[in-house]
Every structure is written in C-alpha cells, then in structure tokens.
Amino acid sequence: MSAATTSAVTISTPGYRVLSQADIIAEIERLPDVAAILGGTASDWRIRDVADGYMNAVFIVEGPDGGVCAKQSLPWVRYHGESWPLSENRASFEASYMKRLGGVVGELAPKLYHFDPSLQFIVMQQLTPHIILRGGLIEGRRFPKVAGDVGRYVATAAFHTSDLGVPFETKFEDVSLFARNHAVLRISVDLIFIDPYVEVWRNRFIPEIGAWARAFREDVALKTAVARHRNAFLSNRQALLHGDLHSGSVMVTEDETRVIDGEFSTFGPIGFDLGAFVANLVIAWYAQGGYDRDPAERDAFRAFILDQIATLWTTFRREFLALWEANPAAGDGYPATHFADAAGAARLSTIRSDFVDAIFRDLVAFAAIKMIRRVISYAQVADFMVIEDTVRRAEAQAGTLALARSLLKHPERYPDLGALLDAIPRFERAGLDPDAPSAR
Amino acid sequence: MSAATTSAVTISTPGYRVLSQADIIAEIERLPDVAAILGGTASDWRIRDVADGYMNAVFIVEGPDGGVCAKQSLPWVRYHGESWPLSENRASFEASYMKRLGGVVGELAPKLYHFDPSLQFIVMQQLTPHIILRGGLIEGRRFPKVAGDVGRYVATAAFHTSDLGVPFETKFEDVSLFARNHAVLRISVDLIFIDPYVEVWRNRFIPEIGAWARAFREDVALKTAVARHRNAFLSNRQALLHGDLHSGSVMVTEDETRVIDGEFSTFGPIGFDLGAFVANLVIAWYAQGGYDRDPAERDAFRAFILDQIATLWTTFRREFLALWEANPAAGDGYPATHFADAAGAARLSTIRSDFVDAIFRDLVAFAAIKMIRRVISYAQVADFMVIEDTVRRAEAQAGTLALARSLLKHPERYPDLGALLDAIPRFERAGLDPDAPSAR
Ligand SMILES: Nc1ncnc2c1ncn2[C@@H]1O[C@H](COP(=O)(O)OP(=O)(O)OP(=O)(O)O)[C@@H](O)[C@H]1O
Ligand SMILES: Nc1ncnc2c1ncn2[C@@H]1O[C@H](COP(=O)(O)OP(=O)(O)OP(=O)(O)O)[C@@H](O)[C@H]1O
C-alpha cells in the first residue's frame, strides 16, 4: 500500500511517450476535425500549460477560431513527480467515462473530441470562460446554478448506469470495463479511506491539527464507521460514479456548469459522488471563517453555501425519482411486472423513497470521510491553504473535522437535510482540542 | 427478458462448432497429457454421454489407465433445445472459475486439465466413483462429510476473493473478468428472481400448486423482499460465487466432496452460495415426506439433513473467521493498521462476528428465494419430480413454499441457526391452501 515509495516508473502502454507542447501541436495537426475547430494552421496555434490538479498534464490549445483542451496522463503523479509512479492508463478510463455518459448528461460535461489509447491522450472541448468552482468559492463568488446542475448530473449519470436504468447486462459490461481502473483507485482507497487514520509519510496536516489527527487515529468507533463505508465503496456496484466530484472537478460560469476529470470513475454507491460535492461545499463554508472578509458578507455567502447544499440534494432527489418514475421497466432492479397492481404501485412509491433515503445516509457518511481526508491526508485543498495564519487555518479545519466526526459516529442525528444543514454552523467553534465540549 | 422465445441461435466464438463424440476423441488425441491419463491409444477409448443437467454437453472418456470428463457449452440450453439460444461462451467462465480457485479450494474441486476457448471445451479430472449428491439424498443415503466440506469450500473461495483476503486490485481484476458472464446470469436473474412472481411461459409448477403460485404473484411484501435481495445479488460484489451451488453441483463419496459446474460464477453476496445449498437440503427434507419409506427411517434421515444444515453453517462460520484471523492484513476491508491496539482488536472481533451474522441473514433470504424457484420456475428438481402422486408432490412443495415465505417476510424470526432449524418441521403440514393457518 505504500508501493509509491519503492516502485520505479514503468510504462505498460506500447507506443506511449510523454508529449511535449510541440508534440501536442503535431498530434492535433493530424486530426482534421480538431484542427478545424482551432482554425488557421499549426503555426497560428498557441499552447499553454493549465495543469493545476495533482495528476495529469493539461494544456489549452487555441487558434484563430477556437480552442481545445488537451490532457495526457503521465506514468507518475504529476504534482509529486517520478518518485510516485502511477499507471499511465488512466486517460483510457476518463475517455470511457466521457463516452459512456456523453449521451446521458448532455451539456453538463465537455465534449470528447479525440482519444489516443497508445499516448493516453485526450482532446476535449475547451470550456471558456468557465472557471474552476473551487476558485470561485474561495473568492466568495456565487454561481447560483451549480448545485442544481451537479444534482441533476449525478441523478442522470447514476440512474442510467444502475439496475434501475439499464438491464443488468449493460451494467455488467460497464462494471467489467471500469473495474480495471484500479491503479488510480488505489489512490482513492489509500488517501481517502486509509491514510487519515494512520501515520504515513504522505499525510500533510499542519502541526496545529496534530491533536485532532491523533484523536482520529485512536478513535476505534470512528475507524469502524469508516471501515463500513470503505467496504461499501469497494463492494457496492450501485452505479457508475465520477469518483472525484469535488469543487475542483466542476467548471462554471453564472449560467453554465460542466463536470470534468472522470479519471477516478468506478462503480460504487451513489452517495459517494454526492458526498464528495457536499464535503467540498462544507469545506468552503468553514474556510470562509479564516478569510478576512466583511462579517455580513461572509454570513451571506455562508447562507448561500448552505442553500447550495440544500439545492444539490433536493434536485438530485427530484430528478432521480422522476427518471425512475418515467422509466419503470428499464432495469432489473424493480421490474414493473412485479409492482403492476394498485398495492404494488403504492409499495413501489415507498421503495423509491426508501431508496433515496438510503442514498442520503450514504451521502452524509461519505461527505464526512471526504472532509477528513482533505485536512489530514495527502491532497490538501486551496480553500484552507490560502489561509496563511496557520492557527486560523487549523480552527477552520477543526470545525470541519468536528462535524465530520459527529456525522460518522452519530448518523442517527442526521436523518435528513435539515439536520445536516443545522449541524454545520454548530461546529464552527470546535477548536483545536478534539476533547473540548465545543468539539462534540 | 424473454429473448429466449424470439432470438435465433447465433455463434460469436470464431472457430466454434458443436463437437460429436468422435470429435471429442480426436481433440483429446491431440493433448498428450490428457491422452496419457487415459492410456493406450484412441481406439482403446470409450466415450459416453452423461449430461443430466440443463445446460451443457458432458461426456466421460475412459481408457485402459483412467478417465476424464469432457464438457462443451452449446449455443443453446441443452435441455430445452435450439429454441432457447444462449451464448456458447460460458465454458470460458467455468474454466476461469476453476483456474481462479484451483490453488484455493484444493481437493474440493476436480482438476482442470484443458480449456479450448474457441471450442468452449473443457477437459477435467473424472470423479469416480462419486455420485451427484441430489441422487444420494433422494435415495436416503448419508454422506456425512458433505455439508462440512461445502461449508469449508465456500469459506475458502469467498475469503480469498473478497476484500478481506486480497488487495482490491486483485478483486477488481476478478470482478472485471466475471462481470462478463452475463449471458448465463440472465438465466439466474430471470429464473430465480423474476419468473416465480409473474405468469411466464417457462414456469413449470403443477396445477396443484397453483393457489400458492397465485398467492406469491399477488404478495407485494414478498416481492419487495425478493427485490431487496435481487438488488443485492446484482450490486454487492462481496466475493466470487459459484452461483449455482445446489445438490446437483456437488459430487460425493462417503469420504470425499467435489464441487463442479462453476459456469454461473459471478461476484455477489456470500450468502447466495450458502443459501443455494441450504435450499436444496431443505427441499430434500420436504421431499422425503412424499417418498414411501419407513417412518422411523424417514425421521432419522430428516434429522440427518437438519444436522447437515447445521454443520454447513457452523463449518463455514468457523473456517471463514479462522481465515480472517490468520490473514489480518491481506485485504483492504479492515486493515490491520486500523485495529492494532487493544481497543481495536476487541472491536475487530465484534466486526467479524457482525460480518458473519450478516452473511447468515443473507443465507436465510437467498435460501428462501432458491426454494421458491425450484417449485414454481423453469428448472424443477428430481427430489420433487420423483414423487409421482402429484397431490403428495404438491404437499411437499407447499411446505417448502410456506417456509420460504415466512423466511422472507419475517426475517426477524430467524436470527440464528436454531430458529431456522426449528422452523423447517413446523411448516410440514402447510397444505395446498396458502391462506390456511397451517401455512403461516
Ligand atoms: N475542458 C477544459 N476546458 C478548459 N480548461 C480545462 C478543461 N479541463 C481542464 N481544464 C483546466 O485544467 C485544470 C486541470 O484539469 P483536471 O482537473 O482535469 O486535471 P487533473 O490533473 O486530472 O486534476 P486532479 O488532480 O483533480 O485529478 C483544471 O483545473 C482546469 O483549470
Ligand atoms: N468431473 C466429473 N467427473 C465425473 N462426472 C462428471 C464430472 N462433471 C460432471 N459430471 C457428470 O455430468 C453431469 C452434468 O455435469 P454438469 O452439472 O457440470 O452439467 P451442466 O449441464 O452444466 O449442469 P447444470 O444444468 O446444473 O448447469 C453431472 O451431473 C455429473 O453426473
């Protein structure tokens, strides 16, 4: 599980090589449809590095008529370098994810123009003037449609890849394909579900949060709750997930939302994707406390964030149920023939609301697990990192951790959206001592 | 879902052809290792058809020194004929299953000698003088080791393919492979989980059981419980299952047990395999009531069957927990590093017993679902079919159905082995009226 420290970089894709900027221009020159989007000829094109994530090489190529985004996976974790080797096959899965969902999520994702399996190289629609949602949240900018759009995105993607939306043969073909995406999923399993609860070289928490990290390592009940959900993540093939649906995987304008970066795609519990997005909204909420901002403005923005969490869930719930009602015979989960009479129809409506209630419980737990990994584990988030005063940063992080611990250890207190929303402000003054009454 | 009535036979494996007996001899002649087992030359070999199942062509080939079993999957369901086409790729999965578990279950399965993917042709160790367990149960013969051996088989196979026994990368590779076994799994889904609760041409129940079949079609609570477990079967990739572990898939002598016929292999809940075997022991118990046999002998044999059910579960539980304790760091499910201190060790022992308790609950539900399909759905079992008087046959079947209904609708009444064993005799006089007090 700490292969990263010992293995050497190996390449298993025949023909693979890391592309330079000039190579990328040359590749695109050979693709008439993509070249046509750019306009002019190669000498008119400009390329710039926009990689800001942890994983891949990403470039924008622009010509006189338009632009594209080019992405290549490297045989290592880009942010860390060659001492953390990683299979370069992951662009395959990002491309497969985009292809599988292209017809389903419509405008909510960029179009895939080209995928080259031997170079593990993707060319997709350039999103412009969209910005990464996380940056917008840090600046306190409001994107009023994003949470509803993400709720709709998850509802649609999940429904049409689940046993509600497709015959199980289709699902099993998808499961077969995405189950091979395990090189990158080792990162999810370790960074999200294992590292935060042990001492490991990759953990990156600041010293001020040390008491919390220690408390989590020693909290058997917490680790038991995490284990339950780690096992669900590994065993429940409920639907095709994005797998990394945080605020850095969503690009926005005030009117538009686009979900990018499906390289962590896997079959898993639907609440995992919803929880990831909620966790990052919650992080934005707490991080606001560490920013120098007019208090009234901060309160208003925080209220907006809570509103977005509510919108995410209510939109997901409404859209998912609407899809199910509109497609009662699409999958093998609850065949229409088994619930055809009046009593069956009544029961089916209970089954449906129980089904989404269970997704909500998963959302709560996975959100908590995602909050914790963003404070203690390897991949830290800008929301907190921009708070230069590390005590203030730690206080914002401590609130997040206190909420997360309560969500995981006392799920019965959070049966519905209202309970979740009420809890967020309650833990703001948790403080650096994990045993303080304010932290409970 | 009723593709069977409309599709034509198609063959998608290049080079595939249905082998005649002479072809099989010729194939084996080309395999020096197999020919050496038989001894002599092809002219000394005798071949006989032993197909008695529903699905495949199966032959025994014997020479002066020994014998082998040769099995080919056909592009249709053998028992039904060409009007029920079915992908001929299923021998691939049977061979993959044998290969995957060969090193794990040891002597409890026949050895795989040869697999030819283009002919979908398997050659394996001949089991002799082993007989099919179902035949033995019908004759009232005791095989004292079978239930313990099957319990050990499931414990071993399940543990070493689950998130307890292997890193998730290994599991996901296996999941990827076996998720493609969906042509044959359509049969499981339809015959086990869908057909018994609707009117469909394939259902084969006798008229005397009509009131029960109708009651089940109209029982919304029952169909809801079935739906829950159908969804678990399709979504829970807990471990690699045999997928069809009934008494016709187990060959025995008094000293030896061998599990055959893994063509339905799939990832699913461990309780599915255990439940299948329990269901067929329960069927044997009820069927005894329709046989003309000395009452004292019958009672003794029935007591033996109940004992075997107990042995199956206690052996499974003991062996599974022993494997887990002996291999605490083998998988990602419950990493040893998370439960290293005294409090963690204590918690882990609770987690383990909760884990097997949950498997027991699954066993109960899947056993019930399997009992029902063997009475109402397509593939009937010899245990009941040999009862010529259809009223007596229906009475034996009605007991089985009454028990199954109670197990599914009142799981809280069956928290442990004792409760399950007590219930079996209680439903013997259920009778042909599903609403009678005796049936509840
Ligand atoms: N289609 C696009 N149009 C415009 N810009 C894009 C597009 N896709 C990605 N980008 C930019 O490139 C950056 C990196 O992209 P992305 O998040 O996909 O990379 P990554 O290395 O896989 O990230 P992560 O570490 O989150 O997995 C994004 O933050 C965004 O600014
Ligand atoms: N290895 C073996 N040695 C001896 N006999 C065997 C062996 N394997 C199978 N048989 C015999 O062949 C019969 C059919 O085998 P098997 O159950 O594998 O066929 P099938 O058509 O796949 O059955 P099902 O309909 O249950 O799927 C068995 O009942 C058994 O009598």
Side-chain angles (χ1 to χ4, degrees):
Chain A
M1 291 187 228
S2 57
T5 48
T6 51
S7 324
V9 169
T10 52
I11 291 171
S12 51
T13 311
Y16 180 89
R17 66 205 150 87
V18 175
L19 297 174
S20 69
Q21 299 198 358
D23 291 338
I24 288 175
I25 297 285
E27 285 301 316
I28 291 179
E29 241 187 315
R30 292 215 297 265
L31 304 170
D33 292 351
V34 178
I37 292 168
L38 300 179
T41 62
S43 58
D44 306 318
W45 303 344
R46 276 170 332 229
I47 179 164
R48 64 194 149 90
D49 189 337
V50 292
D52 66 349
Y54 279 88
M55 305 290 290
N56 301 294
V58 188
F59 301 91
I60 295 293
V61 185
E62 287 175 308
D65 298 344
V68 296
C69 174
K71 182 166 178 179
Q72 185 184 34
S73 28
L74 305 173
W76 53 77
V77 173
R78 189 191 62 79
Y79 183 82
H80 196 88
E82 304 192 21
S83 66
W84 190 337
L86 181 64
S87 168
E88 72 286 349
N89 72 357
R90 50 207 201 263
S92 289
F93 296 100
E94 181 163 350
S96 295
Y97 178 79
M98 293 179 85
K99 279 184 211 158
R100 176 64 181 86
L101 294 183
V104 166
V105 300
E107 296 300 300
L108 292 172
K111 278 197 255 304
L112 176 68
Y113 293 142
H114 173 70
F115 170 61
D116 181 323
S118 53
L119 294 172
Q120 290 292 314
F121 176 63
I122 286 173
V123 184
M124 70 181 112
Q125 184 180 17
Q126 180 192 14
L127 301 173
T128 176
H130 306 67
I131 65 160
I132 288 286
L133 174 62
R134 190 183 301 283
L137 291 170
I138 293 171
E139 291 172 20
R141 289 175 59 186
R142 291 169 203 214
F143 298 93
K145 300 182 81 176
V146 66
D149 284 345
V150 171
R152 193 154 51 87
Y153 180 92
V154 177
T156 321
F159 181 81
H160 289 294
T161 56
S162 74
D163 286 315
L164 308 175
V166 287
F168 85 89
E169 288 92 341
T170 306
K171 193 182 96 163
F172 274 36
E173 283 290 328
D174 291 338
V175 165
S176 178
L177 195 160
F178 289 96
R180 307 200 67 133
N181 193 18
H182 50 69
V184 76
L185 278 179
R186 169 51 70 189
I187 296 185
S188 299
V189 171
D190 282 354
L191 269 51
I192 300 171
F193 290 106
I194 297 185
D195 288 1
Y197 311 95
V198 288
E199 295 193 68
V200 58
W201 65 271
R202 285 183 297 237
N203 284 344
R204 290 287 159 98
F205 56 87
I206 51 177
E208 291 82 348
I209 217 71
W212 273 98
R214 192 168 43 253
F216 279 17
R217 288 198 299 273
E218 290 167 0
D219 191 333
V220 174
L222 185 73
K223 287 183 286 187
T224 302
V226 172
R228 199 159 87 80
H229 291 92
R230 180 175 51 248
N231 281 284
F233 177 70
L234 291 172
S235 278
N236 182 1
R237 55 187 169 198
Q238 193 174 33
L240 180 59
L241 306 183
H242 179 279
D244 197 27
L245 193 52
H246 57 83
S247 52
S249 296
V250 177
M251 297 190 71
V252 285
T253 64
E254 287 202 358
D255 303 317
E256 291 185 358
T257 305
R258 302 287 182 263
V259 174
I260 62 168
D261 197 16
E263 71 179 320
F264 285 86
S265 47
T266 183
F267 270 76
I270 298 166
F272 185 84
D273 271 357
L274 295 167
F277 196 69
V278 167
N280 283 273
L281 291 176
V282 168
I283 285 170
W285 192 96
Y286 283 102
Q288 293 292 323
Y291 304 162
D292 292 318
R293 201 157 281 171
D294 171 68
E297 234 175 69
R298 172 187 305 147
D299 289 351
F301 191 66
R302 282 180 155 176
F304 167 77
I305 291 175
L306 296 187
D307 231 59
Q308 289 290 296
I309 294 173
T311 302
L312 174 82
W313 173 251
T314 53
T315 308
F316 167 80
R317 189 181 191 285
R318 186 184 62 238
E319 298 283 328
F320 191 83
L321 290 174
L323 283 166
W324 193 348
E325 277 156 36
N327 300 279
D332 292 294
Y334 298 87
T337 52
H338 279 200
F339 299 94
D341 57 8
R347 177 61 69 111
L348 198 50
S349 105
T350 312
I351 287 174
R352 285 176 178 148
S353 71
D354 290 350
F355 194 98
V356 291
D357 287 353
I359 293 176
F360 184 80
R361 289 192 295 274
D362 285 351
L363 176 162
V364 168
F366 288 117
I369 290 167
K370 295 280 207 162
M371 293 173 207
I372 295 169
R373 63 80 53 115
R374 291 299 186 187
V375 174
I376 296 179
S377 187
Y378 179 77
Q380 302 279 321
V381 285
D383 314 61
F384 291 134
M385 298 306 274
V386 298
I387 306 172
E388 285 179 16
D389 177 336
T390 55
V391 173
R392 287 186 74 187
R393 191 195 299 171
E395 281 166 352
Q397 292 181 329
T400 314
L401 293 179
L403 171 68
R405 179 172 66 181
S406 181
L407 297 177
L408 280 166
K409 291 177 73 171
H410 306 291
E412 71 289 353
R413 295 185 193 158
Y414 307 99
D416 56 28
L417 181 65
L420 174 64
L421 296 177
D422 286 351
I424 297 168
R426 215 162 55 227
F427 289 97
E428 197 189 354
R429 311 244 156 267
L432 303 187
D433 174 5
D435 295 321
S438 55
R440 301 254 150 216
Chain B
M1 294 189 225
S2 56
T5 48
T6 50
S7 324
V9 170
T10 53
I11 291 171
S12 50
T13 310
Y16 180 89
R17 67 203 150 86
V18 175
L19 297 175
S20 68
Q21 299 197 358
D23 292 337
I24 288 175
I25 298 285
E27 286 301 317
I28 291 180
E29 239 187 316
R30 293 214 298 264
L31 305 169
D33 293 351
V34 178
I37 292 168
L38 299 180
T41 62
S43 58
D44 306 317
W45 303 343
R46 276 170 330 230
I47 179 164
R48 65 196 149 90
D49 188 337
V50 293
D52 65 349
Y54 279 90
M55 306 289 290
N56 301 293
V58 188
F59 302 91
I60 295 293
V61 185
E62 287 173 308
D65 298 344
V68 297
C69 174
K71 182 166 178 179
Q72 185 184 34
S73 30
L74 304 174
W76 52 78
V77 174
R78 188 190 62 78
Y79 183 83
H80 196 88
E82 302 193 20
S83 66
W84 189 338
L86 181 63
S87 168
E88 72 288 348
N89 72 357
R90 52 207 199 264
S92 288
F93 296 100
E94 182 164 349
S96 296
Y97 179 78
M98 293 179 85
K99 279 184 212 159
R100 175 65 181 86
L101 294 183
V104 166
V105 299
E107 295 300 301
L108 293 172
K111 279 197 254 305
L112 178 68
Y113 293 141
H114 173 71
F115 170 60
D116 181 324
S118 54
L119 294 174
Q120 291 291 313
F121 175 63
I122 286 174
V123 184
M124 70 182 109
Q125 185 181 16
Q126 180 192 13
L127 301 172
T128 178
H130 306 67
I131 66 160
I132 288 286
L133 174 62
R134 190 184 301 284
L137 291 170
I138 292 171
E139 291 173 19
R141 290 175 59 185
R142 289 166 204 217
F143 298 94
K145 300 181 82 177
V146 66
D149 285 344
V150 171
R152 193 155 51 88
Y153 179 94
V154 176
T156 321
F159 181 81
H160 289 295
T161 56
S162 75
D163 287 316
L164 308 175
V166 288
F168 86 89
E169 289 91 340
T170 306
K171 191 182 96 162
F172 274 37
E173 283 290 328
D174 291 337
V175 165
S176 179
L177 195 161
F178 289 95
R180 307 198 68 132
N181 193 18
H182 50 68
V184 76
L185 277 180
R186 170 52 71 191
I187 295 185
S188 298
V189 171
D190 283 354
L191 268 50
I192 300 171
F193 290 105
I194 298 186
D195 289 1
Y197 311 94
V198 289
E199 296 194 64
V200 58
W201 65 271
R202 285 184 296 238
N203 284 344
R204 289 288 159 97
F205 57 86
I206 51 177
E208 290 82 348
I209 216 71
W212 274 99
R214 191 167 45 253
F216 279 17
R217 288 198 300 272
E218 289 167 2
D219 190 334
V220 173
L222 184 72
K223 287 183 286 185
T224 302
V226 172
R228 199 158 88 77
H229 291 92
R230 181 175 51 247
N231 280 283
F233 177 70
L234 291 171
S235 279
N236 183 3
R237 54 186 169 198
Q238 194 174 31
L240 179 58
L241 306 183
H242 178 280
D244 197 26
L245 192 53
H246 56 83
S247 50
S249 295
V250 177
M251 295 188 74
V252 284
T253 64
E254 287 203 358
D255 302 317
E256 292 186 355
T257 306
R258 302 289 180 263
V259 173
I260 62 168
D261 197 17
E263 72 180 318
F264 284 87
S265 48
T266 183
F267 270 76
I270 298 167
F272 185 85
D273 271 356
L274 294 168
F277 196 69
V278 167
N280 283 271
L281 290 176
V282 168
I283 285 171
W285 191 97
Y286 282 102
Q288 293 292 323
Y291 303 162
D292 292 319
R293 201 158 281 173
D294 170 68
E297 231 176 72
R298 172 187 304 148
D299 287 351
F301 192 66
R302 282 180 156 176
F304 167 77
I305 292 176
L306 296 188
D307 231 58
Q308 289 290 296
I309 294 174
T311 302
L312 173 83
W313 173 251
T314 54
T315 308
F316 166 80
R317 188 179 192 285
R318 187 185 61 238
E319 299 282 329
F320 191 83
L321 291 174
L323 283 166
W324 195 347
E325 278 156 37
N327 300 280
D332 292 294
Y334 297 87
T337 52
H338 279 201
F339 299 95
D341 57 7
R347 178 60 70 111
L348 199 50
S349 105
T350 312
I351 287 174
R352 287 178 177 146
S353 72
D354 290 351
F355 195 98
V356 290
D357 287 352
I359 294 176
F360 185 80
R361 288 192 294 275
D362 285 352
L363 175 163
V364 167
F366 287 118
I369 289 168
K370 295 281 208 160
M371 293 173 209
I372 295 168
R373 63 80 54 116
R374 291 297 187 189
V375 174
I376 296 179
S377 188
Y378 179 76
Q380 301 279 322
V381 283
D383 314 61
F384 291 134
M385 299 305 273
V386 296
I387 306 172
E388 284 180 17
D389 176 337
T390 55
V391 173
R392 287 185 74 185
R393 189 196 300 171
E395 280 165 353
Q397 292 181 329
T400 314
L401 294 178
L403 172 68
R405 179 172 68 181
S406 182
L407 297 177
L408 281 167
K409 292 177 74 171
H410 305 291
E412 71 289 352
R413 294 184 194 162
Y414 307 99
D416 56 27
L417 181 65
L420 174 64
L421 295 177
D422 286 350
I424 297 169
R426 215 163 54 230
F427 287 98
E428 197 190 352
R429 312 242 155 266
L432 303 187
D433 174 5
D435 295 321
S438 54
R440 301 251 150 219

